Structure formats: C-alpha cells, structure tokens
Amino acid sequence: METSENEAWLDLVGISADPPERRDKCEQCKRPAVVCWCPALPHPPEAVASQIVILQHPAEEKRSLRTALMLQLGLAPGKCVVYKGKRFPNHKNHAELQRILDSPTTLLLYPSRDSVPLEEVDRSAGPYTLVLIDGTWPQAKAIYASSPALHSLRQVKLIAVGISDYIIRTQPTEGCLSTLETAAQCLAVLESRPELRQSLVRPLHTLCKYQLDNGAVEHQSKEFLLKNNQYPKPIGKRLSRLLNYSNTVCGGGNDT
C-alpha cells in the first residue's frame, strides 16, 4: 500500500508546473495558425473613400466565426470602425459616434418601409459613412428601437443581394448575408467598384473551404428548407415573422 502511495506521489510531483503549449495563433486574426485566413486578405488593404461604422451587439463578440474583423483588416486603417453596445451612442463612445451620426453624409442600412435602395443614392454627393447593425435580426431591431439617434438617419437597403457565401452557417432566409458580405456589397455600390465584393469576401471563402475540407457540411437557409419541405421542426413565430417581413419589406432581407 505504501509503495503505491509513493508511486502516486512521484507521479504527482513529476507533473510540470508550466501550462501546456498552446497552438500558435496569428497576431492579426487571433485564430490558430492552421486556420488563419489572413493570406486571403487583399494586399494592400483596399483603399476606399467611404467609411463603414459597425454597431455591434455584445453577443456577436462571442461568436467563433466573426466576419467584422475580416472587414476591418481588408480595408485601409480607419475605414471600418466597430462600436459595441445595445444602445447607441452610449457613455463609452458618445462624443465620437454622435459626430458621425450628425453628419448629413451618414446612411443607415436598415430595411424599413422608409428605406430607399442604396443603388439609388446620389454617389456624387459622397463620400458616405454607412452604419451597419451587427447582430441577429431580433438584436438589430432591439438596438434600433433603443437608439433614437438612429431614427433620424437616412435609411437605405440593398436590393440585389444574392445568396450568402457563408455556407457553413444556417441563414434564416435566402437573402440574409453576413456582416462582411453586406458591407462588401454596399462598398461595391458606393465606390462603383463591383470587384470590391470578391476582394473583401475572399477570407470568408478560405474559412468555409477549410471547414468543409475538415468535416463541416454545407448549410441551406431555413427559407430554402421550408420551401423544399426539408425543415426538420415546426416553424416558430420568430422565423415566421422574419420570413413574412423579408418578403414584404426587404425583398429578400438582409442579415445585419
């Protein structure tokens, strides 16, 4: 018995006090080096006249596959700014953000009944600052409702959004896009540079390819599954409202 206790003690004291080695991480994207998407970023970063301002719900920060960082790194410094919170402006960013919201060249991408197609905005009156709300649709609506400063902004929407390339994530509707894709499409319109979308979205393609090559499966939107009688459970009230809203107001809808 004593021998067993001595062996156990020797095993215990033999354990290294140093923490185990962690996988090397990329300094830019903070992802493990093996899944780093930085080589797919535009080099040099895209120089644009417009600016993107992202109002990000705190829950988005916890997602492992965030796309806002891809946008920040893909654009020239200062061309994509992220503010976090559930109400804007807030005590952390009031003065800086309020100046942006007060500018006559600031637009809010929000698919309301009063929003106009971004494609119809007079681009000669720019450059513009485009505000995006980053979160699920319920989170985006809550941020908008609790932020009166956003209500006076000119509201715009995208018409021809296509289908998301973020194929490893289930989108609610066919027209829902990731934050990166939404911003890239908007910049392509505002800058009159159609090639911008492909350039900025390339890191997302790299990420999805790696995931698919390592066991992930391609996801269809919930709207697609419903149309093809493949949705595995009863449709809930929230999804039903989103589908109806996207068809009547957004012409397909956007994922903010």
Side-chain angles (χ1 to χ4, degrees):
M1 184 71 171
E2 185 176 344
T3 301
S4 298
E5 290 178 353
N6 287 338
E7 290 176 350
W9 171 250
L10 290 173
D11 288 340
L12 182 62
V13 298
I15 297 175
S16 173
D18 296 325
E21 291 187 8
R22 296 184 177 182
R23 291 186 293 177
D24 292 336
K25 283 192 174 183
C26 171
E27 290 297 319
Q28 276 201 125
C29 66
K30 309 303 180 185
R31 294 181 62 79
V34 68
V35 290
C36 169
W37 37 254
C38 291
L41 289 167
H43 295 287
E46 295 286 359
V48 295
S50 310
Q51 183 186 40
I52 299 293
V53 172
I54 297 177
L55 307 182
Q56 189 176 75
H57 190 280
E60 285 298 305
E61 211 172 359
K62 301 174 184 177
R63 293 185 182 273
S64 59
L65 303 179
R66 303 185 303 273
T67 64
L69 182 58
M70 293 179 179
L71 184 65
Q72 285 183 290
L73 295 176
L75 293 174
K79 288 301 181 178
C80 177
V81 184
V82 179
Y83 297 99
K84 298 178 174 64
K86 295 182 179 180
R87 176 189 174 95
F88 299 94
N90 54 48
H91 68 282
K92 294 180 180 179
N93 53 48
H94 186 276
E96 181 180 355
L97 184 54
Q98 191 63 55
R99 283 196 298 271
I100 295 173
L101 300 181
D102 287 341
S103 170
T105 56
T106 295
L107 307 172
L108 173 67
L109 186 73
Y110 194 78
S112 70
R113 300 183 188 279
D114 297 324
S115 61
V116 299
L118 182 64
E119 294 83 352
E120 296 178 7
V121 170
D122 180 9
R123 290 190 282 278
S124 66
Y128 291 99
T129 295
L130 185 68
V131 178
L132 307 181
I133 304 177
D134 186 19
T136 64
W137 181 234
Q139 290 167 352
K141 287 201 299 183
I143 287 176
Y144 180 80
S146 62
S147 305
L150 301 181
H151 300 175
S152 58
L153 295 179
R154 278 195 290 168
Q155 296 179 11
V156 294
K157 59 185 175 184
L158 281 172
I159 296 299
V161 296
I163 296 176
S164 175
D165 293 325
Y166 200 173
I167 55 177
I168 57 173
R169 176 181 176 182
T170 301
Q171 301 286 11
T173 68
E174 290 289 88
C176 283
L177 303 178
S178 66
T179 300
L180 170 67
E181 293 171 301
T182 300
Q185 181 67 32
C186 289
L187 285 172
V189 173
L190 290 174
E191 300 287 314
S192 299
R193 292 175 55 192
E195 75 280 2
L196 268 179
R197 189 186 193 284
Q198 180 66 22
S199 175
L200 292 171
V201 173
R202 194 172 292 119
L204 181 62
H205 294 166
T206 298
L207 170 66
C208 291
K209 183 180 185 305
Y210 177 85
Q211 298 286 352
L212 291 172
D213 288 346
N214 287 272
V217 296
E218 187 172 336
H219 290 216
Q220 300 289 354
S221 72
K222 294 179 181 178
E223 181 182 12
F224 176 91
L225 296 176
L226 284 167
K227 287 180 178 178
N228 291 274
N229 298 316
Q230 297 174 13
Y231 196 62
K233 54 186 178 181
I235 182 171
K237 292 182 179 178
R238 177 180 295 178
L239 179 57
S240 178
R241 286 196 298 267
L242 178 56
L243 291 172
N244 290 334
Y245 186 85
S246 108
N247 288 328
T248 58
V249 177
C250 313
N254 297 313
D255 179 18
T256 53

